[in-house]
Amino acid sequence: MAWLYALATLAVGYLLGRARLGHRLSDWANWQKYGKPTGWRYAVMFTVLSAENLGWLVAHPVQGWHAWQHRNDPPPPRSPAPQYDPDWAAKRRARP
């Protein structure tokens, strides 16, 4: 009888993992940021995103501290734009 309970527990755990309820809730909360959430939607969105951020900081404290220290750094310089070479075909044929 215990093996039946173990099998049922594994099956329920598998189905909950496949449903990815936390991922769906996180996606929903992120989409709510772009609208005008009011009332209960704002409270749920704030709670979900806060829990997600706190969980990430608990799991990755060093990366979180590093990100906090560099949050206002300027973006890296851009690479130069590619230049058009009208003679590219001849140069390509000349290559061995």
Side-chain angles (χ1 to χ4, degrees):
M1 192 67 162
W3 64 272
L4 190 60
Y5 290 125
L7 186 63
T9 304
L10 286 173
V12 168
Y14 174 77
L15 291 174
L16 285 174
R18 294 292 293 170
R20 299 176 57 127
L21 300 176
H23 186 71
R24 291 177 191 225
L25 183 64
S26 173
D27 286 348
W28 174 84
N30 280 310
W31 274 106
Q32 296 305 308
K33 291 188 306 188
Y34 298 109
K36 281 192 166 188
T38 56
W40 69 271
R41 288 191 327 166
Y42 180 78
V44 173
M45 177 200 72
F46 184 79
T47 304
V48 168
L49 293 179
S50 296
E52 189 176 300
N53 289 332
L54 289 174
W56 191 88
L57 285 174
V58 166
H60 307 284
V62 175
Q63 290 92 335
W65 179 248
H66 187 263
W68 180 261
Q69 287 177 324
H70 297 284
R71 68 191 182 281
N72 293 322
D73 288 354
R78 295 176 60 172
S79 62
Q83 299 294 321
Y84 175 70
D85 184 10
D87 202 25
W88 69 271
K91 291 178 182 176
R92 183 172 182 186
R93 278 190 231 121
R95 260 195 264 163

